Amino acid sequence: MTKPILYSFRRCPYAIRARIAFISHGIDFELREVDLKNKPAHMLDLSPKGTVPVLLLEDGRIIDESLDILDYVLDYKYDENTEQLIDDLNNTFIPALRCFKYPERYPEANIDHQEEIILKYLKSLDMLLTNSIHLIGDVRGKADIAILPFVRQLHRADEKWFEALNLEHLKQWYYDFYNSELHQCVMAKS
């Protein structure tokens, strides 16, 4: 094997994270797009849980969690603010986003309450972006890469709702990515 192999699914936000990291850092890798209804045996041998992304490194190591892939690619050094943003993403934003995006799957969920949770998180991001083009630091880092795919999901779930948000810094941050060559490369059909 001459380069890392990344098993991915084009629209999966967790897999999008991994592709952003590899492409934005100019790392050559082999992309293997997965049909989630017919997962390849090799991928399942590497990671029996059967989720993407799965990264097989040249030395045989396997990384099958998107945040661990980011840590590897970015040579990430622990940052408390980054970790808190990602914890809030995982514990509040993503569950609310699921209810917002799929209300038929969550009939017991109060959609107005889910929108409030989403909006509170987005406002915290908007504040961080008041004087910066990145969430933390001077370059697109782990926080940006971990969060962008889920803001993308929200945008795609209801573009009019997203457009109506009075969070100009957040929208600029998102649209800078959305309209970039990087986004086009990350989302290209293989």
Side-chain angles (χ1 to χ4, degrees), residues 1 3-5 22 55-63 72:
M1 184 170 67
K3 55 188 171 183
I5 297 171
F22 271 93
L55 176 62
L56 174 61
L57 296 170
E58 299 97 323
D59 63 8
R61 286 182 292 153
I62 300 160
I63 306 175
Y72 171 78

Side-chain angles (χ1 to χ4, degrees), residues 7-9 12 14-15 32-55 62-66:
Y7 288 91
S8 183
F9 178 67
C12 171
Y14 300 96
R32 293 190 183 173
E33 184 71 13
V34 173
D35 175 356
L36 296 178
K37 293 178 183 171
N38 187 23
K39 297 171 186 168
H42 185 245
M43 184 189 97
L44 292 172
D45 289 342
L46 298 173
S47 179
K49 67 182 181 170
T51 61
V52 292
V54 176
L55 176 62
I62 300 160
I63 306 175
D64 64 358
E65 290 292 333
S66 65

Side-chain angles (χ1 to χ4, degrees), residues 16-189:
I16 291 171
R17 284 175 171 172
R19 295 194 312 272
I20 291 172
F22 271 93
I23 293 168
S24 67
H25 285 76
I27 299 171
D28 193 22
F29 67 103
E30 180 182 333
L31 178 63
R32 293 190 183 173
E33 184 71 13
V34 173
D35 175 356
L36 296 178
K37 293 178 183 171
N38 187 23
K39 297 171 186 168
H42 185 245
M43 184 189 97
L44 292 172
D45 289 342
L46 298 173
S47 179
K49 67 182 181 170
T51 61
V52 292
V54 176
L55 176 62
L56 174 61
L57 296 170
E58 299 97 323
D59 63 8
R61 286 182 292 153
I62 300 160
I63 306 175
D64 64 358
E65 290 292 333
S66 65
L67 293 173
D68 294 336
I69 293 171
L70 293 187
D71 291 348
Y72 171 78
V73 172
L74 302 175
D75 193 24
Y76 174 72
K77 306 296 184 246
Y78 180 86
D79 174 76
E80 187 173 337
N81 294 327
T82 295
E83 296 306 317
Q84 186 60 58
L85 276 178
I86 293 171
D87 285 347
D88 292 346
L89 174 80
N90 291 333
N91 297 323
T92 62
F93 183 83
I94 291 174
L97 176 60
R98 284 187 189 121
C99 294
F100 178 84
K101 194 173 170 190
Y102 304 110
E104 68 284 355
R105 293 184 192 172
Y106 302 94
E108 73 288 350
N110 178 325
I111 296 303
D112 290 336
H113 180 64
Q114 303 308 314
E115 286 182 14
E116 288 172 15
I117 292 169
I118 290 168
L119 193 53
K120 180 180 178 185
Y121 186 74
L122 295 178
K123 283 180 181 179
S124 72
L125 300 180
D126 190 69
M127 287 187 62
L128 289 171
L129 294 162
T130 300
N131 296 310
S132 178
I133 60 171
H134 303 293
L135 290 171
I136 296 174
D138 297 332
V139 297
R140 181 180 288 128
K142 182 178 179 179
D144 298 284
I145 296 170
I147 295 168
L148 274 165
F150 293 95
V151 174
R152 179 185 179 278
Q153 267 197 342
L154 174 65
H155 173 249
R156 294 185 57 79
D158 192 333
E159 289 184 29
K160 288 182 182 177
W161 187 88
F162 188 84
E163 267 304 308
L165 293 173
N166 189 22
L167 302 172
E168 298 312 312
H169 304 293
L170 172 88
K171 291 193 299 187
Q172 183 67 49
W173 169 79
Y174 171 70
Y175 286 127
D176 283 350
F177 168 70
Y178 185 77
N179 294 318
S180 71
E181 185 178 325
L182 172 61
H183 181 254
Q184 290 176 8
C185 292
V186 166
M187 297 308 297
K189 292 182 180 179

